[in-house]
Amino acid sequence: MAKYTGPDCRLCRREGCKLYLKGEKCNSEKCVLNTKFAAPGDHGKGRKKASGYSVQLREKQKTKRFYGVTEKQFKMYYDTAAAMRGVTGENMLCLIERRLDNVVYRLGLGTSRAMARQIVCHGHITVNGKKVDIPSYIIKAGDVVAVKENSKDSTMWDAVKATKNLGLVKWLEFDNTTLSGKVLALPERADIDLDIKEHLIVELYSK
């Protein structure tokens, strides 16, 4: 089974860092990493020193789980990035960052990427006025991402409408009154605030 259906907090414990899979809970005192530091399993506390391959693998798994993509999708992004000009690792991250579900999350329409993915799948989002229900859809500079007209009256957007400053990344702008955002430019590596060492992933795939 490609899709993970177990507890999200278990993944954070396995990677040893917050993956922000539970939205607001990750920033509260209820975060599992505040009480459980060891990796899950009976031998979590007694793990030996990680090998070079293990470090590279964990970095790949962590990045996949940050964005909620499958192994097949992740490898596809890597292959696409490797064929592009520039630094492969940075190209890969910037490409994944352009996924529609991630853009919806960055706009503040979902408290987590999983929630944003569900919003897209349920058909609440339009791109340039046309409904798009594919989370992996890649946005382009100048695209307008908005909540569909007949979905704007839903109470699920009340918190978004009441928030004036959503702390957006600089390559996006958002109007919380119309629930519409615009992609000002394509994201660059400096715009991605996740703790990812992409060169380790490139080294892993280059073997």
Side-chain angles (χ1 to χ4, degrees), residues 16-41:
C17 66
K18 291 186 179 184
L19 301 177
Y20 300 98
L21 303 177
K22 300 289 286 185
E24 296 177 357
K25 179 181 178 181
C26 297
N27 293 318
S28 70
E29 295 180 355
K30 295 182 179 179
C31 176
V32 69
L33 290 183
N34 291 333
T35 55
K36 298 180 180 180
F37 303 100

Side-chain angles (χ1 to χ4, degrees), residues 4-13 19 21-22 32 114:
Y4 176 76
T5 57
D8 289 333
C9 294
R10 185 182 178 89
L11 298 180
C12 294
R13 289 178 59 202
L19 301 177
L21 303 177
K22 300 289 286 185
V32 69

Side-chain angles (χ1 to χ4, degrees), residues 46-64:
R47 295 185 183 276
K48 297 180 180 179
K49 183 179 179 180
S51 64
Y53 172 79
S54 176
V55 172
Q56 295 167 354
L57 178 63
R58 292 265 57 87
E59 199 67 24
K60 175 178 74 74
Q61 294 296 85
K62 180 178 73 174
T63 306
K64 277 172 49 185

Side-chain angles (χ1 to χ4, degrees), residues 69-122:
V69 298
T70 65
E71 178 66 36
K72 183 177 180 180
Q73 288 174 319
F74 195 80
K75 183 61 166 61
M76 179 194 68
Y77 290 127
Y78 172 80
D79 291 338
T80 301
M84 297 168 60
R85 292 183 178 180
V87 182
T88 299
E90 294 182 4
N91 289 341
M92 178 186 65
L93 290 184
C94 294
L95 191 60
I96 302 175
E97 191 76 10
R98 291 167 56 192
R99 284 174 56 99
L100 180 58
D101 55 356
N102 181 73
V103 172
V104 170
Y105 167 71
R106 292 291 192 183
L107 289 173
L109 295 173
T111 58
S112 67
R113 288 181 175 84
M115 181 179 176
R117 190 175 305 113
Q118 188 177 51
I119 290 171
V120 174
C121 289
H122 286 185

Side-chain angles (χ1 to χ4, degrees), residues 14 18 81 121 144 155 163 182 199:
R14 181 63 189 90
K18 291 186 179 184
C121 289
V144 175
T155 57
T163 305
K182 185 176 182 179
H199 68 277

